[in-house]
Amino acid sequence: MKTRTSSKLASSPKSLPPIEAAPVDKVKILKDSDEVGSRIREIVREAAEEAISERGSFALAIPGGSILKMLVGTARGEKGEQQDDWTSKTTVAYVNHKCVEMDDAKLATHAKATALFFKDWSDDCNILTMSGTDDADKESNEYEEMMRSLPANTLPVNDDGLPVFDLALIGVGDDGHIGSLYPSREEVLVGRDGPWVLPVTMKQPPSITLSLPVMQSAKKVVVAACGVSEKYPQGKSAGMRRAIADETETIQSFPAVGLRCCALWVMDEAAASKLGDKYIDNN
């Protein structure tokens, strides 16, 4: 187990170059949030079927935020029939989670996910939860230990010693944060030789997050963005432009660009509206 000291975080490079724009064929633009949600549920079921057929289990990493609502109905077929067999062979980890009690309906992603969709999943689904303290160092250490204790057929490890989730679903904040990796913070710079799970104490309550290399190492990484409001009539268009197409961005200025190398970006037309013709015309 690698320790989470400030010197360990500081060992990463302090200045990184901009990252090349995401490949055009890795951006999928759909009409609206309903279509995005439907596609995300399809991706989950397809990834589960593939993983279970290969080794008998499915490892899924999920974030908080709006993606949770997209997962409602994943255990049901197109006609609403129960199709939860795959969930009995599923292990779920959180991309990030606040250091709060797991039943905190306001702050705990686990409580929200349980209310939204875990209640429909098999009781045999293995959900990795935290102990519920506000000690981020303790929680991140324990969470990584849980992940490391899983057998290889449940959570494989690659040649770099990093866990390989079959599917990692990621959301992007307006400031570019993914998980709890925020701009201008040292956590986003942790390298492939660093911890799998990091404590983040910039806010109260603190949180834990998977490192960027762990997110990147998933067999399939999917970023989803959709939805409009009166305040944001173009949805997440500004953020998606910076995340996908702006070649002046670095992982320090907008952490989501760290997923350009590996992610499938699924969004609605509003979120894609500022990407530019080469992305829009390809869809």
Side-chain angles (χ1 to χ4, degrees):
M1 172 72 70
K2 294 180 174 67
T3 58
R4 294 155 175 77
T5 64
S6 57
S7 61
K8 180 63 183 178
L9 294 178
S11 69
S12 299
K14 285 295 183 181
S15 181
L16 297 174
I19 297 176
E20 185 178 351
V24 171
D25 62 356
K26 290 294 185 179
V27 176
K28 182 65 176 176
I29 302 171
L30 302 172
K31 181 180 179 181
D32 54 27
S33 57
D34 288 341
E35 288 194 8
V36 172
S38 178
R39 182 62 187 128
I40 293 302
R41 290 187 289 276
E42 288 176 3
I43 288 171
V44 172
R45 287 190 287 261
E46 289 167 0
E49 182 178 355
E50 179 180 347
I52 292 168
S53 67
E54 288 178 353
R55 65 174 198 282
S57 62
F58 174 49
L60 172 66
I62 65 171
S66 60
I67 290 180
L68 292 180
K69 294 181 179 180
M70 300 182 199
L71 296 176
V72 175
T74 45
R76 297 188 179 276
E78 293 182 1
K79 298 180 180 179
E81 70 276 19
Q82 194 72 8
Q83 291 185 351
D84 64 350
D85 288 351
W86 62 272
T87 66
S88 66
K89 302 176 179 67
T90 296
T91 294
V92 179
Y94 290 107
V95 173
N96 62 312
H97 202 292
K98 292 184 184 298
C99 296
V100 296
E101 294 183 3
M102 293 297 96
D103 61 356
D104 186 324
K106 183 177 180 180
L107 297 177
T109 295
H110 178 67
K112 296 173 184 177
T114 299
L116 286 168
F117 56 89
F118 280 149
K119 65 182 186 298
D120 296 325
W121 290 24
S122 168
D123 292 339
D124 293 324
C125 178
N126 180 24
I127 305 169
L128 305 185
T129 57
M130 298 157 60
S131 58
T133 74
D134 62 359
D135 185 335
D137 287 314
K138 172 181 179 292
E139 294 289 357
S140 61
N141 274 295
E142 290 181 352
Y143 208 75
E144 182 165 334
E145 288 171 359
M146 276 194 290
M147 290 171 58
R148 288 183 179 273
S149 70
L150 296 171
N153 68 320
T154 298
L155 183 62
V157 175
N158 64 21
D159 292 341
D160 290 332
L162 293 167
V164 180
F165 288 95
D166 297 293
L167 175 62
L169 299 175
I170 311 288
V172 178
D174 292 339
D175 60 357
H177 75 265
I178 48 176
S180 292
L181 300 177
Y182 288 88
S184 304
R185 295 276 301 180
E186 290 184 325
E187 291 90 1
V188 76
L189 299 177
V190 169
R192 301 182 75 81
D193 61 341
W196 293 0
V197 184
L198 307 170
V200 182
T201 58
M202 65 174 287
K203 297 180 178 181
Q204 291 298 323
S207 62
I208 66 172
T209 184
L210 300 182
S211 72
L212 179 57
V214 170
M215 296 182 199
Q216 293 170 331
S217 295
K219 187 174 181 180
K220 189 164 196 173
V221 181
V222 177
V223 177
C226 63
V228 296
S229 65
E230 184 175 340
K231 184 177 181 180
Y232 298 105
Q234 291 183 303
K236 296 189 174 184
S237 57
M240 286 298 99
R241 181 192 62 79
R242 294 183 69 184
I244 292 170
D246 189 335
E247 293 189 340
T248 68
E249 300 287 2
T250 72
I251 61 171
Q252 293 164 299
S253 64
F254 209 76
V257 305
L259 299 178
R260 288 179 181 177
C261 62
C262 58
L264 172 67
W265 306 78
V266 182
M267 66 197 70
D268 62 6
E269 292 176 352
S273 61
K274 295 182 180 179
L275 289 183
D277 291 343
K278 73 173 184 178
Y279 290 102
I280 294 173
D281 292 345
N282 193 58
N283 280 267

